[in-house]
Amino acid sequence: MYAPQSTPASPDGDVIAERRTLWRWHFYAGLFVMPLLIVLAITGTLYCFQPQIEPMLYRDRMIVADTHGPRLSQDALLAKAIAAEPRDAKPTLAQIETDRTRSAEFVFRLRSGESESVYINPYDGTVLGTLSVEHRLMKQIRNLHRGLMLGKTGELLMELAGCWTLVMIGTGIALWWPWGGKNRRASGVWLPRVSLKGRAWWRDLHAVGGAWLAIGALFFVLSGLPWSGSWGKQFKALATTASLGYPKGAWGEAHVHSTAPGNASQEGGEHAMHAMHGNDPAMKLDDLPLHQTPWAVGATAVPSSADSAAASRVSLDDVVALAAKQGVADDYGIALPASPTGVYTVSSFPADPRDERTLHIDQYSGRVLSDISYGSYGAVAQAISYGTSLHMGRYFGMANQIVCSAISLGLAALSVTGFVMWLKRRPSRKLGAPSRPAKRPPMRAWRSGLALVGIAFPLMGMTMLAVWCLDRITFGRQSGAQAQA
């Protein structure tokens, strides 16, 4: 991985020992992170351009000619989609867009358990084709990005990769830091020295590139971890419980964050609402068949409609009109009721986090049971919403996509340069880890920092302890060893 740059003529022994220790931690972090970082960088870049890639790949199904005529109603389009699907297929989602060149999309749950999108021409009702939700390209890329398509095991690996990237960034910046003080020039610190040859040139390229990309890499890690499968879920639950995420009890047609009507306490109000609507407290928004949901509301409970056999269901067009009245007009999903006590759930996940909105609507009366907007979020959830939009390259449009891609591909390039440096210094048939310094440096600040990281991310803490033990058992102490930089 990274090799420390040359030190002053008569360096202090503690400085040499500290730098070599940092180098060892940087090496071990990079050894684990490199292949996963390349996967994250490539898949992240591709997924960042999903809005451009999918309409190009599936143009025959997603794109239609604007006839400048009237569009069919949502209920008529849904009826066309139902007629095109097998009899036992259940409609689960309507995707609403006002772009007149986009087809209407409805998602169905098939008997096999998989989901399928049906695309309809909104002007004449022609069925344009279908597309598997689970097997479409961008879904596969997203699964690779989040968990290598290995389920829970892959999610844990990617979470660990993010955590170890924090160690790699911290130790890398410490090794890059111009220890020579004012005598150091911009070349070799802010610009690579092109006059160098061999491994020294690769080292300069790696060190300088890492310094420029450090802030972007840190942002990617911190904005991505809240979505991770293990730590992210626990953090979301903690933030929700502490009212740092979504505050409980946003009931009613207005932005009300108190009890259900007629109840004296929030807790009593929630139980009353469950009893009134037959709500299953285990049903969360993340369980609904929506393409994407805002982070802040994923762990919130989904209310239920009052089971009324005599009442007719509110039409899909009425739900669209109600959503527009509430300020949700374009590019959102409507999860359809799956049972007599189910609700319509309107979920808007736009590029600007301030426009995020979630509505739960009684399927019989059309009454808004829950209305959650960005203003309902706690401080942590609001920050994560902004981080997510920037992370996905959505907030500033194409400019955001280009910046995210440059950072991602730059991190992939750092992995390549680190690998080349390792090959050039690695002895034959040996790991080539930097030797342990003969003198153990105090490094109290670093030890405290790593301990805090291990506490904040327990899975990371366990692997750090495992690496430390394995290193001491396998390699032992090599006193006085000095590797060539």
Side-chain angles (χ1 to χ4, degrees):
M1 307 308 132
Y2 179 83
Q5 299 182 20
S6 58
T7 56
S10 300
D12 181 83
D14 286 342
V15 172
I16 293 179
E18 180 175 338
R19 287 170 63 78
R20 190 161 295 280
T21 300
L22 291 173
W23 186 15
R24 287 173 66 80
W25 277 104
H26 190 75
F27 173 85
Y28 287 128
L31 196 66
F32 168 67
V33 166
M34 272 196 318
L36 299 180
L37 195 59
I38 291 175
V39 173
L40 283 169
I42 295 174
T43 56
T45 299
L46 290 173
Y47 194 73
C48 188
F49 287 94
Q50 178 187 12
Q52 290 87 4
I53 292 176
E54 281 204 325
M56 181 178 62
L57 286 177
Y58 311 117
R59 185 177 182 82
D60 58 330
R61 281 156 281 190
M62 292 185 173
I63 304 299
V64 298
D66 181 5
T67 65
H68 302 287
R71 296 164 63 103
L72 297 177
S73 69
Q74 291 295 329
D75 289 293
L77 293 170
L78 177 57
K80 295 281 188 182
I82 291 174
E85 285 292 279
R87 187 179 299 272
D88 54 4
K90 303 296 182 183
T92 60
L93 175 68
Q95 196 66 26
I96 309 299
E97 291 202 37
T98 59
D99 186 343
R100 295 184 62 85
T101 64
R102 294 299 293 266
S103 60
E105 178 186 1
F106 299 94
V107 178
F108 288 77
R109 173 69 67 179
L110 304 179
R111 186 175 183 179
S112 64
E114 293 191 346
S115 294
E116 181 175 76
S117 290
V118 180
Y119 297 92
I120 310 291
N121 187 310
Y123 302 107
D124 60 16
T126 302
V127 178
L128 302 175
T130 62
L131 191 62
S132 170
V133 172
E134 288 83 6
H135 300 295
R136 63 201 298 171
L137 178 62
M138 281 299 150
K139 181 68 171 181
Q140 297 296 309
I141 288 174
R142 184 185 182 190
N143 289 340
L144 269 172
H145 188 76
R146 298 187 69 174
L148 301 171
M149 291 199 290
L150 296 177
K152 188 67 175 179
T153 300
E155 290 180 1
L156 292 176
L157 280 174
M158 285 307 201
E159 182 178 318
L160 276 175
C163 293
W164 275 97
T165 300
L166 295 176
V167 175
M168 193 168 63
I169 294 170
T171 54
I173 288 296
L175 292 169
W176 160 85
W177 190 261
W179 291 59
K182 297 181 180 179
N183 295 327
R184 296 298 301 275
R185 297 180 178 179
S187 58
V189 178
W190 298 109
L191 296 172
R193 290 168 287 189
V194 294
S195 60
L196 296 177
K197 304 294 182 182
R199 182 172 171 271
W201 181 83
W202 287 99
R203 179 191 62 199
D204 249 34
L205 190 64
H206 183 84
V208 174
W212 281 103
L213 292 171
I215 294 178
L218 182 63
F219 169 77
F220 270 166
V221 172
L222 295 181
S223 59
L225 280 174
W227 292 89
S228 61
S230 176
W231 184 87
K233 288 183 178 180
Q234 297 299 320
F235 180 69
K236 182 188 291 187
L238 175 63
T240 302
T241 301
S243 294
L244 296 173
Y246 159 67
K248 298 179 180 179
W251 302 104
E253 294 186 353
H255 295 281
V256 180
H257 311 296
S258 57
T259 65
N263 291 277
S265 68
Q266 179 172 308
E267 182 178 0
E270 288 177 351
H271 286 302
M273 287 299 290
H274 296 328
M276 184 189 308
H277 299 295
N279 178 52
D280 177 6
M283 175 65 74
K284 306 296 183 185
L285 192 72
D286 281 340
D287 299 325
L288 297 179
L290 295 161
H291 286 328
Q292 288 182 320
T293 57
W295 181 89
V297 297
T300 60
V302 177
S304 299
S305 300
D307 190 355
S308 178
S312 60
R313 176 183 287 185
V314 173
S315 70
L316 184 57
D317 285 297
D318 288 339
V319 174
V320 172
L322 179 60
K325 182 180 178 182
Q326 298 291 326
V328 184
D330 187 25
D331 193 16
Y332 63 93
I334 303 177
L336 306 179
S339 69
T341 59
V343 297
Y344 287 103
T345 296
V346 174
S347 179
S348 178
F349 188 44
D352 190 336
R354 293 170 296 182
D355 295 329
E356 290 180 4
R357 196 75 171 276
T358 303
L359 303 172
H360 296 297
I361 301 171
D362 188 292
Q363 65 170 305
Y364 303 111
S365 67
R367 188 166 67 92
V368 177
L369 303 176
S370 179
D371 182 351
I372 312 172
S373 65
Y374 174 83
S376 306
Y377 302 168
V380 170
Q382 289 183 346
I384 290 175
S385 292
Y386 268 99
T388 299
S389 188
L390 290 167
H391 184 110
M392 296 177 66
R394 292 152 44 95
Y395 191 65
F396 293 114
M398 179 64 74
N400 200 163
Q401 291 175 309
I402 292 173
V403 170
C404 285
S405 300
I407 295 173
S408 294
L409 297 178
L411 292 174
L414 286 181
S415 298
V416 173
T417 57
F419 180 72
V420 172
M421 289 165 56
W422 175 54
L423 288 180
K424 287 182 173 294
R425 69 171 295 277
R426 182 177 67 94
S428 179
R429 297 183 180 181
K430 291 184 179 181
L431 180 62
S435 57
R436 183 183 289 110
K439 181 180 180 181
R440 180 180 178 181
M443 301 183 68
R444 294 182 181 88
W446 279 98
R447 295 178 194 278
S448 300
L450 289 175
L452 289 175
V453 171
I455 293 171
F457 305 100
L459 188 62
M460 168 68 172
M462 289 188 290
T463 57
M464 280 197 298
L465 182 61
V467 168
W468 182 80
C469 293
L470 184 63
D471 175 66
R472 294 188 69 85
I473 293 172
T474 304
F475 298 103
R477 181 175 296 278
Q478 300 177 10
S479 58
Q482 298 289 333
Q484 296 297 320

